[in-house]
Amino acid sequence: AQKITQTQPGMFVQEKEAVTLDCTYDTSDPSYGLFWYKQPSSGEMIFLIYQGSYDQQNATEGRYSLNFQKARKSANLVISASQLGDSAMYFCAMGNQAGTALIFGKGTTLSVSS
Amino acid sequence: DTGVSQNPRHKITKRGQNVTFRCDPISEHNRLYWYRQTLGQGPEFLTYFQNEAQLEKSRLLSDRFSAERPKGSFSTLEIQRTEQGDSAMYLCASSRGTAVISNQPQHFGDGTRLSIL
């Protein structure tokens, strides 16, 4: 069965520092997609970045990059130059085999201090 | 670009009552999803529509739950005879795409928070 594991319940970082949020996944499907979402305290889920299993390069979107290590089945999110507005819950997710739903991890709470 | 809209934002009701939530997806998106999120957890998939067809339902979707998407536009999620365990945030998302493995991200609404007294 497909599974997403996020082992860090909470992470703390100071402004302007970089932070890595861990995500490991389990799937037997050779083709899959991995997503990261941000959920501020207000509740909306905001899409951050996508990585396809056959993509040759790690995905980047502005200050977000995805450290994709296929052999280790990890898809860590790296946020460079953290800002106070980055404080939120971050979820790693995988598209299910039918491509009809996302399977989410339990999330990591990121707190950025000044 | 108007995002996914969900109404109401909050719903408080007594146990045993029926409730209905509405989701208006992004207009050009043919796929629509419902998720449920409880405190401290990631969202859990409930059901999925491609246009007006409901193609997949999770085991979480008991027979008290029903979802519709008439004409492939907005969707409603109804919960009958609500129970304490139904208290959660109900999230709607939409995306475009027809491929089985789609790289199109799902865009989420702000959710409807349901509280059962």
Side-chain angles (χ1 to χ4, degrees), chain B residues 75-87:
Chain B
S75 176
T76 58
L77 177 68
E78 181 183 16
I79 309 174
Q80 295 182 327
R81 304 180 304 281
T82 52
E83 301 174 354
Q84 292 281 354
D86 297 333
S87 294

mmCIF file with all atom_site columns, all heavy atoms in Angstrom, chain B residues 75-87:
data_model
loop_
_atom_site.group_PDB
_atom_site.id
_atom_site.type_symbol
_atom_site.label_atom_id
_atom_site.label_alt_id
_atom_site.label_comp_id
_atom_site.label_asym_id
_atom_site.label_entity_id
_atom_site.label_seq_id
_atom_site.pdbx_PDB_ins_code
_atom_site.Cartn_x
_atom_site.Cartn_y
_atom_site.Cartn_z
_atom_site.occupancy
_atom_site.B_iso_or_equiv
_atom_site.pdbx_formal_charge
_atom_site.auth_seq_id
_atom_site.auth_comp_id
_atom_site.auth_asym_id
_atom_site.auth_atom_id
_atom_site.pdbx_PDB_model_num
ATOM 1   N N   . SER B 1 75 ? -20.228 21.006 -6.651 1.00 0.00 ? 75 SER B N   1
ATOM 2   C CA  . SER B 1 75 ? -20.490 19.725 -6.003 1.00 0.00 ? 75 SER B CA  1
ATOM 3   C C   . SER B 1 75 ? -21.074 19.975 -4.618 1.00 0.00 ? 75 SER B C   1
ATOM 4   O O   . SER B 1 75 ? -20.819 21.015 -3.997 1.00 0.00 ? 75 SER B O   1
ATOM 5   C CB  . SER B 1 75 ? -19.195 18.933 -5.874 1.00 0.00 ? 75 SER B CB  1
ATOM 6   O OG  . SER B 1 75 ? -19.388 17.728 -5.163 1.00 0.00 ? 75 SER B OG  1
ATOM 7   N N   . THR B 1 76 ? -21.855 19.023 -4.154 1.00 0.00 ? 76 THR B N   1
ATOM 8   C CA  . THR B 1 76 ? -22.360 19.059 -2.786 1.00 0.00 ? 76 THR B CA  1
ATOM 9   C C   . THR B 1 76 ? -21.973 17.774 -2.076 1.00 0.00 ? 76 THR B C   1
ATOM 10  O O   . THR B 1 76 ? -21.912 16.703 -2.692 1.00 0.00 ? 76 THR B O   1
ATOM 11  C CB  . THR B 1 76 ? -23.885 19.228 -2.737 1.00 0.00 ? 76 THR B CB  1
ATOM 12  O OG1 . THR B 1 76 ? -24.493 18.154 -3.465 1.00 0.00 ? 76 THR B OG1 1
ATOM 13  C CG2 . THR B 1 76 ? -24.309 20.563 -3.328 1.00 0.00 ? 76 THR B CG2 1
ATOM 14  N N   . LEU B 1 77 ? -21.719 17.910 -0.791 1.00 0.00 ? 77 LEU B N   1
ATOM 15  C CA  . LEU B 1 77 ? -21.446 16.769 0.074  1.00 0.00 ? 77 LEU B CA  1
ATOM 16  C C   . LEU B 1 77 ? -22.466 16.815 1.200  1.00 0.00 ? 77 LEU B C   1
ATOM 17  O O   . LEU B 1 77 ? -22.563 17.818 1.916  1.00 0.00 ? 77 LEU B O   1
ATOM 18  C CB  . LEU B 1 77 ? -20.027 16.837 0.640  1.00 0.00 ? 77 LEU B CB  1
ATOM 19  C CG  . LEU B 1 77 ? -19.631 15.730 1.633  1.00 0.00 ? 77 LEU B CG  1
ATOM 20  C CD1 . LEU B 1 77 ? -19.545 14.381 0.915  1.00 0.00 ? 77 LEU B CD1 1
ATOM 21  C CD2 . LEU B 1 77 ? -18.290 16.040 2.299  1.00 0.00 ? 77 LEU B CD2 1
ATOM 22  N N   . GLU B 1 78 ? -23.276 15.775 1.318  1.00 0.00 ? 78 GLU B N   1
ATOM 23  C CA  . GLU B 1 78 ? -24.292 15.718 2.350  1.00 0.00 ? 78 GLU B CA  1
ATOM 24  C C   . GLU B 1 78 ? -23.937 14.641 3.361  1.00 0.00 ? 78 GLU B C   1
ATOM 25  O O   . GLU B 1 78 ? -23.518 13.536 2.989  1.00 0.00 ? 78 GLU B O   1
ATOM 26  C CB  . GLU B 1 78 ? -25.681 15.432 1.757  1.00 0.00 ? 78 GLU B CB  1
ATOM 27  C CG  . GLU B 1 78 ? -26.779 15.389 2.827  1.00 0.00 ? 78 GLU B CG  1
ATOM 28  C CD  . GLU B 1 78 ? -28.152 15.032 2.275  1.00 0.00 ? 78 GLU B CD  1
ATOM 29  O OE1 . GLU B 1 78 ? -28.229 14.534 1.138  1.00 0.00 ? 78 GLU B OE1 1
ATOM 30  O OE2 . GLU B 1 78 ? -29.138 15.260 2.999  1.00 0.00 ? 78 GLU B OE2 1
ATOM 31  N N   . ILE B 1 79 ? -24.111 14.961 4.619  1.00 0.00 ? 79 ILE B N   1
ATOM 32  C CA  . ILE B 1 79 ? -23.955 13.988 5.696  1.00 0.00 ? 79 ILE B CA  1
ATOM 33  C C   . ILE B 1 79 ? -25.300 13.865 6.387  1.00 0.00 ? 79 ILE B C   1
ATOM 34  O O   . ILE B 1 79 ? -25.846 14.852 6.894  1.00 0.00 ? 79 ILE B O   1
ATOM 35  C CB  . ILE B 1 79 ? -22.881 14.390 6.724  1.00 0.00 ? 79 ILE B CB  1
ATOM 36  C CG1 . ILE B 1 79 ? -21.573 14.758 6.022  1.00 0.00 ? 79 ILE B CG1 1
ATOM 37  C CG2 . ILE B 1 79 ? -22.648 13.246 7.710  1.00 0.00 ? 79 ILE B CG2 1
ATOM 38  C CD1 . ILE B 1 79 ? -20.504 15.308 6.973  1.00 0.00 ? 79 ILE B CD1 1
ATOM 39  N N   . GLN B 1 80 ? -25.834 12.669 6.413  1.00 0.00 ? 80 GLN B N   1
ATOM 40  C CA  . GLN B 1 80 ? -27.110 12.436 7.081  1.00 0.00 ? 80 GLN B CA  1
ATOM 41  C C   . GLN B 1 80 ? -26.867 11.880 8.485  1.00 0.00 ? 80 GLN B C   1
ATOM 42  O O   . GLN B 1 80 ? -25.889 11.189 8.744  1.00 0.00 ? 80 GLN B O   1
ATOM 43  C CB  . GLN B 1 80 ? -27.944 11.448 6.271  1.00 0.00 ? 80 GLN B CB  1
ATOM 44  C CG  . GLN B 1 80 ? -28.349 11.989 4.902  1.00 0.00 ? 80 GLN B CG  1
ATOM 45  C CD  . GLN B 1 80 ? -29.216 11.000 4.131  1.00 0.00 ? 80 GLN B CD  1
ATOM 46  O OE1 . GLN B 1 80 ? -29.054 9.789  4.255  1.00 0.00 ? 80 GLN B OE1 1
ATOM 47  N NE2 . GLN B 1 80 ? -30.148 11.514 3.350  1.00 0.00 ? 80 GLN B NE2 1
ATOM 48  N N   . ARG B 1 81 ? -27.782 12.213 9.384  1.00 0.00 ? 81 ARG B N   1
ATOM 49  C CA  . ARG B 1 81 ? -27.740 11.673 10.765 1.00 0.00 ? 81 ARG B CA  1
ATOM 50  C C   . ARG B 1 81 ? -26.323 11.835 11.344 1.00 0.00 ? 81 ARG B C   1
ATOM 51  O O   . ARG B 1 81 ? -25.668 10.870 11.721 1.00 0.00 ? 81 ARG B O   1
ATOM 52  C CB  . ARG B 1 81 ? -28.157 10.203 10.775 1.00 0.00 ? 81 ARG B CB  1
ATOM 53  C CG  . ARG B 1 81 ? -29.528 9.965  10.150 1.00 0.00 ? 81 ARG B CG  1
ATOM 54  C CD  . ARG B 1 81 ? -29.915 8.490  10.185 1.00 0.00 ? 81 ARG B CD  1
ATOM 55  N NE  . ARG B 1 81 ? -28.945 7.610  9.561  1.00 0.00 ? 81 ARG B NE  1
ATOM 56  C CZ  . ARG B 1 81 ? -28.820 7.409  8.260  1.00 0.00 ? 81 ARG B CZ  1
ATOM 57  N NH1 . ARG B 1 81 ? -29.632 8.048  7.424  1.00 0.00 ? 81 ARG B NH1 1
ATOM 58  N NH2 . ARG B 1 81 ? -27.915 6.573  7.784  1.00 0.00 ? 81 ARG B NH2 1
ATOM 59  N N   . THR B 1 82 ? -25.871 13.069 11.433 1.00 0.00 ? 82 THR B N   1
ATOM 60  C CA  . THR B 1 82 ? -24.500 13.346 11.851 1.00 0.00 ? 82 THR B CA  1
ATOM 61  C C   . THR B 1 82 ? -24.176 12.737 13.207 1.00 0.00 ? 82 THR B C   1
ATOM 62  O O   . THR B 1 82 ? -25.046 12.631 14.095 1.00 0.00 ? 82 THR B O   1
ATOM 63  C CB  . THR B 1 82 ? -24.223 14.856 11.901 1.00 0.00 ? 82 THR B CB  1
ATOM 64  O OG1 . THR B 1 82 ? -25.240 15.497 12.692 1.00 0.00 ? 82 THR B OG1 1
ATOM 65  C CG2 . THR B 1 82 ? -24.177 15.466 10.514 1.00 0.00 ? 82 THR B CG2 1
ATOM 66  N N   . GLU B 1 83 ? -22.908 12.355 13.350 1.00 0.00 ? 83 GLU B N   1
ATOM 67  C CA  . GLU B 1 83 ? -22.401 11.769 14.587 1.00 0.00 ? 83 GLU B CA  1
ATOM 68  C C   . GLU B 1 83 ? -21.221 12.614 15.069 1.00 0.00 ? 83 GLU B C   1
ATOM 69  O O   . GLU B 1 83 ? -20.643 13.381 14.315 1.00 0.00 ? 83 GLU B O   1
ATOM 70  C CB  . GLU B 1 83 ? -21.936 10.329 14.329 1.00 0.00 ? 83 GLU B CB  1
ATOM 71  C CG  . GLU B 1 83 ? -23.026 9.425  13.794 1.00 0.00 ? 83 GLU B CG  1
ATOM 72  C CD  . GLU B 1 83 ? -22.493 8.049  13.402 1.00 0.00 ? 83 GLU B CD  1
ATOM 73  O OE1 . GLU B 1 83 ? -21.262 7.838  13.439 1.00 0.00 ? 83 GLU B OE1 1
ATOM 74  O OE2 . GLU B 1 83 ? -23.327 7.183  13.044 1.00 0.00 ? 83 GLU B OE2 1
ATOM 75  N N   . GLN B 1 84 ? -20.871 12.436 16.352 1.00 0.00 ? 84 GLN B N   1
ATOM 76  C CA  . GLN B 1 84 ? -19.749 13.196 16.925 1.00 0.00 ? 84 GLN B CA  1
ATOM 77  C C   . GLN B 1 84 ? -18.474 13.021 16.101 1.00 0.00 ? 84 GLN B C   1
ATOM 78  O O   . GLN B 1 84 ? -17.727 13.963 15.877 1.00 0.00 ? 84 GLN B O   1
ATOM 79  C CB  . GLN B 1 84 ? -19.476 12.738 18.362 1.00 0.00 ? 84 GLN B CB  1
ATOM 80  C CG  . GLN B 1 84 ? -20.559 13.087 19.357 1.00 0.00 ? 84 GLN B CG  1
ATOM 81  C CD  . GLN B 1 84 ? -20.488 14.539 19.796 1.00 0.00 ? 84 GLN B CD  1
ATOM 82  O OE1 . GLN B 1 84 ? -19.569 15.259 19.450 1.00 0.00 ? 84 GLN B OE1 1
ATOM 83  N NE2 . GLN B 1 84 ? -21.476 14.986 20.559 1.00 0.00 ? 84 GLN B NE2 1
ATOM 84  N N   . GLY B 1 85 ? -18.263 11.841 15.611 1.00 0.00 ? 85 GLY B N   1
ATOM 85  C CA  . GLY B 1 85 ? -17.048 11.539 14.850 1.00 0.00 ? 85 GLY B CA  1
ATOM 86  C C   . GLY B 1 85 ? -16.979 12.226 13.499 1.00 0.00 ? 85 GLY B C   1
ATOM 87  O O   . GLY B 1 85 ? -15.946 12.189 12.836 1.00 0.00 ? 85 GLY B O   1
ATOM 88  N N   . ASP B 1 86 ? -18.075 12.847 13.093 1.00 0.00 ? 86 ASP B N   1
ATOM 89  C CA  . ASP B 1 86 ? -18.061 13.565 11.809 1.00 0.00 ? 86 ASP B CA  1
ATOM 90  C C   . ASP B 1 86 ? -17.433 14.944 11.943 1.00 0.00 ? 86 ASP B C   1
ATOM 91  O O   . ASP B 1 86 ? -17.190 15.620 10.935 1.00 0.00 ? 86 ASP B O   1
ATOM 92  C CB  . ASP B 1 86 ? -19.488 13.723 11.262 1.00 0.00 ? 86 ASP B CB  1
ATOM 93  C CG  . ASP B 1 86 ? -20.139 12.389 10.947 1.00 0.00 ? 86 ASP B CG  1
ATOM 94  O OD1 . ASP B 1 86 ? -19.404 11.419 10.648 1.00 0.00 ? 86 ASP B OD1 1
ATOM 95  O OD2 . ASP B 1 86 ? -21.382 12.318 11.014 1.00 0.00 ? 86 ASP B OD2 1
ATOM 96  N N   . SER B 1 87 ? -17.191 15.391 13.164 1.00 0.00 ? 87 SER B N   1
ATOM 97  C CA  . SER B 1 87 ? -16.573 16.706 13.375 1.00 0.00 ? 87 SER B CA  1
ATOM 98  C C   . SER B 1 87 ? -15.193 16.718 12.735 1.00 0.00 ? 87 SER B C   1
ATOM 99  O O   . SER B 1 87 ? -14.335 15.895 13.064 1.00 0.00 ? 87 SER B O   1
ATOM 100 C CB  . SER B 1 87 ? -16.448 17.000 14.869 1.00 0.00 ? 87 SER B CB  1
ATOM 101 O OG  . SER B 1 87 ? -17.709 17.144 15.467 1.00 0.00 ? 87 SER B OG  1
#
